[in-house]
Amino acid sequence: MLNNIRIVLVSTTHPGNIGAVARAMKTMGLTRLTLVAPEKYPHVEATARASGADDVLAHARIVASLDEALAGCHLIFGASARLRTIPWPQVDARACAALAVSASAATEEVAVVFGREQSGLTNEELERCHYLVHIPSNPAFSSLNIAAAVQVVTYELMMASLQAQPVAAGSGDEEHVPWATATEMEQFYDHLWQTVIDIGFVDPAKPRLLARRLRRLFNRARLDKNEFNMLRGILAAAQARHRAP
Ligand code: SAH
């Protein structure tokens, strides 16, 4: 039930933390680690802190961008130490785990993204996520060490997977259309943005909050592949009509 869940670390500074994350994951039955542009990796400190979870490190994917890390994902969570960094749907670690485990059990690809030790995730990175996940903590001292944060979230994933009832494939629910992936959603947002510029709805010099609001709206809606194709078709038709003399 946890097989389709990947943990993504963005630009981790300390290699020891990467090792500690691998250990936290393995203790909770997770194995898929993706590192986005780690500062120092591979590194002896990472291996030392993994203490026995080196197989998780050995299989880690190392990529240059968050886009690559999220390729193929249907459901994305961004872990944030601060509340209300941006107004965005928010869940605690337990609610995150319930959503993630039921999505993973339905063979959807899920990512939980963790930020830099110093500065966390940027707003642009958080806007790639369907939900922010926050571990309730002391408001005056809310930032956990990154490996501690991964431990709490992966513990909740383990607990949710133990509680979930496995559903036999093909039984019960009617087939649902697969969700659009993160890569498709980026194509959609590029297309949507180009269209609102083309039709004069927004001045590209003064975009204000429109791009964020559009992302929040469509991330909340979660497009399936049919809805994605329908909206791409509407955008293409709007552009064609606008271009027509
Ligand atoms: N100083 C940074 C904190 C970085 S801690 C900031 O204020 O954003 C490194 C990462 O650990 C964070 O980006 C987040 O992904 C995770 N993390 C730390 N504390 C957390 C909490 N209370 N809830 C959720 N994630 C947390």
Side-chain angles (χ1 to χ4, degrees):
M1 259 182 219
L2 301 175
N3 286 348
N4 300 315
I5 304 177
R6 66 185 84 170
I7 299 292
V8 178
L9 306 184
V10 177
S11 302
T12 313
T13 313
H14 299 294
N17 279 337
I18 297 175
V21 164
R23 181 179 183 175
M25 287 171 59
K26 188 169 176 181
T27 56
M28 296 297 141
L30 282 113
T31 54
R32 294 174 58 196
L33 175 61
T34 303
L35 306 173
V36 180
E39 254 178 50
K40 293 186 207 138
Y41 190 81
H43 196 279
V44 285
E45 262 183 64
T47 315
R49 293 282 302 280
S51 57
D54 352 24
D55 51 333
V56 175
L57 289 183
H59 291 112
R61 271 178 71 217
I62 301 165
V63 296
S65 67
L66 186 57
D67 267 334
E68 288 171 72
L70 298 179
C73 279
H74 305 96
L75 178 62
I76 306 164
F77 297 89
S80 176
R82 277 166 294 167
L83 286 165
R84 302 186 182 285
T85 331
I86 52 171
W88 212 254
Q90 195 171 306
V91 288
D92 64 23
R94 193 155 297 171
C96 161
L99 291 165
V101 166
S102 72
S104 173
T107 71
E108 291 166 30
E109 281 288 325
V110 180
V112 190
V113 185
F114 293 82
R116 300 155 189 82
E117 290 94 328
Q118 289 305 311
S119 52
L121 294 166
T122 63
N123 284 350
E124 288 67 34
E125 288 161 346
L126 290 170
E127 285 168 13
R128 301 293 309 275
C129 304
H130 295 96
Y131 297 93
L132 304 192
V133 50
H134 177 73
I135 299 163
S137 45
N138 177 355
F141 195 67
S142 64
S143 172
L144 281 72
N145 166 271
I146 184 168
V150 170
Q151 188 75 74
V152 172
V153 170
T154 54
Y155 167 74
E156 291 292 346
L157 289 168
M158 169 61 97
M159 288 300 286
S161 76
L162 292 175
Q163 277 153 22
Q165 298 295 323
V167 183
S171 74
D173 291 4
E174 64 208 71
E175 286 291 299
H176 87 79
V177 180
W179 300 110
T181 64
T183 313
E184 289 165 335
M185 288 309 290
E186 286 314 295
Q187 291 163 4
F188 169 70
Y189 288 125
D190 286 346
H191 196 173
L192 179 60
W193 194 243
Q194 195 51 56
T195 308
V196 291
I197 291 170
D198 290 353
I199 64 178
F201 182 73
V202 67
D203 173 358
K206 292 186 248 154
R208 290 177 304 178
L209 290 174
L210 181 67
R212 174 178 299 173
R213 292 210 169 107
L214 289 171
R215 275 180 179 270
R216 188 170 58 188
L217 164 63
F218 287 103
N219 278 5
R220 190 172 66 226
R222 279 194 87 190
L223 305 186
D224 68 26
K225 283 190 196 289
N226 288 347
E227 293 160 342
F228 164 80
N229 287 326
M230 174 183 71
L231 287 172
R232 289 292 302 264
I234 291 173
L235 294 175
Q239 286 179 312
R241 175 58 67 92
H242 181 71
R243 271 192 234 105

